[in-house]
Amino acid sequence: ALALLVLRRNSHVKIAEFIDELWSDNPPVSAKTTVQTYVYKIRKLLQRSGCESILHTRPGGYILSISDEAIDLYEFERLVKEGQASLNKEDLETSSKLLSEALSLWRGSALADVAAGEILSAYITRLEESRFRALEQRVEIDLQLGRHLELISELKSLVASYPLHERFHASLMIALHYSGRRSEALDVYKRCRRTTVDELGLEPGEELQRLHQTLLSADPPLGAVVDYRPAHEVQSR
């Protein structure tokens, strides 16, 4: 209940929404009373912290009044937005710094300690997607900044965590190549291809295959290695 109030801060959250979140299609007869009990407990917790005045009862529901700046999520989204603005101005150093600051606010998965129902699950999906996009973008920017050696360890961890994510594999291959470890980069492709074939019954995507072929050449042109992304993504930048 508290997580829903925080994510919907400064908005009227109806009791019916609490019930949908907590019990979905099978609420008990006492659902409304139980929600009121949960909110009462939240109010007592806030009271002990000296901020009980931020929780307001409204007809059919409640409002938690808190400033956006008090929530890490707002700070994350602000930093990502500013990072994107810097990227649009081709200020890669600032963009990387802002995105790194945004990602440093995370301490694990979104709402990791909350038993999420349908409403919170939707929020979790959106939050994780935002985090993932910011991470992809920061890695790509750091590659463009030439931070290849610094990225290798992080990218190895990412491909282990996301074995079917081809962009992370491509980024690791590029970082290894620029660090003078082309044979390791080729091994990354082999492992990715094996996983993709075994898990999905498919060959790796065209971009990853093109990067692999570039690395196989006797003297791969470095510029060609960087622009492994689809043409429409390169042109959109």
Side-chain angles (χ1 to χ4, degrees):
L2 179 58
L4 187 56
L5 283 167
V6 171
L7 289 172
R8 294 276 302 279
R9 61 195 179 279
N10 305 313
S11 299
H12 185 196
V13 184
K14 298 178 181 178
I15 290 178
E17 293 178 285
F18 286 107
I19 292 173
D20 287 342
E21 167 62 24
L22 293 167
W23 295 284
S24 188
D25 297 327
N26 190 33
V29 175
S30 61
K32 182 176 180 180
T33 301
T34 302
V35 168
Q36 292 170 334
T37 300
Y38 289 161
V39 173
Y40 171 77
K41 291 180 178 179
I42 292 171
R43 197 183 299 279
K44 295 298 286 185
L45 288 172
L46 293 172
Q47 189 176 30
R48 286 201 289 270
S49 301
C51 50
E52 68 274 14
S53 61
I54 67 174
L55 181 57
H56 310 283
T57 301
R58 292 292 183 267
Y62 306 90
I63 295 177
L64 188 67
S65 298
I66 48 177
S67 66
D68 288 334
E69 290 78 5
I71 306 299
D72 281 348
L73 172 59
Y74 172 83
E75 183 68 4
F76 168 77
E77 292 176 339
R78 182 188 67 79
L79 288 166
V80 168
K81 184 177 180 180
E82 291 182 5
Q84 182 62 57
S86 295
L87 180 60
N88 292 339
K89 296 176 184 176
E90 298 186 358
D91 184 354
L92 301 185
E93 291 280 358
T94 300
S95 183
S96 174
K97 178 177 180 292
L98 289 167
L99 291 172
S100 295
E101 288 180 17
L103 292 165
S104 72
L105 295 173
W106 288 76
R107 298 291 184 270
S109 301
L111 302 180
D113 299 326
V114 176
E118 291 184 5
I119 298 175
L120 288 180
S121 292
Y123 276 106
I124 290 171
T125 298
R126 182 180 69 82
L127 293 173
E128 290 292 349
E129 287 176 352
S130 296
R131 177 190 189 184
F132 209 72
R133 285 194 300 270
L135 177 59
E136 286 180 325
Q137 194 167 59
R138 201 225 77 226
V139 166
E140 183 179 315
I141 291 168
D142 283 352
L143 282 176
Q144 294 182 50
L145 287 168
R147 297 169 178 169
H148 307 111
L149 279 171
E150 299 96 315
L151 282 169
I152 289 174
S153 178
E154 179 185 10
L155 285 167
K156 283 185 175 182
S157 177
L158 287 171
V159 299
S161 299
Y162 305 100
L164 296 175
H165 192 285
E166 292 189 4
R167 176 162 292 189
F168 285 149
H169 283 81
S171 296
L172 177 56
M173 291 167 67
I174 292 168
L176 287 167
H177 166 71
Y178 276 95
S179 301
R181 297 156 66 175
R182 185 169 64 167
S183 62
E184 289 182 57
L186 294 172
D187 286 340
V188 170
Y189 177 82
K190 290 177 185 177
R191 291 194 298 272
C192 180
R193 180 183 181 276
R194 184 164 55 247
T195 300
T196 302
V197 171
D198 290 347
E199 296 291 330
L200 304 177
L202 298 171
E203 291 290 331
E206 180 182 342
E207 293 77 32
L208 196 62
Q209 291 188 48
R210 186 168 65 246
L211 173 59
H212 178 237
Q213 289 302 316
T214 301
L215 290 175
L216 282 173
S217 65
D219 186 18
L222 299 187
V225 174
V226 170
D227 285 335
Y228 72 92
R229 293 166 293 150
H232 69 87
E233 289 192 21
V234 177
Q235 292 169 359
S236 68
R237 290 286 300 276

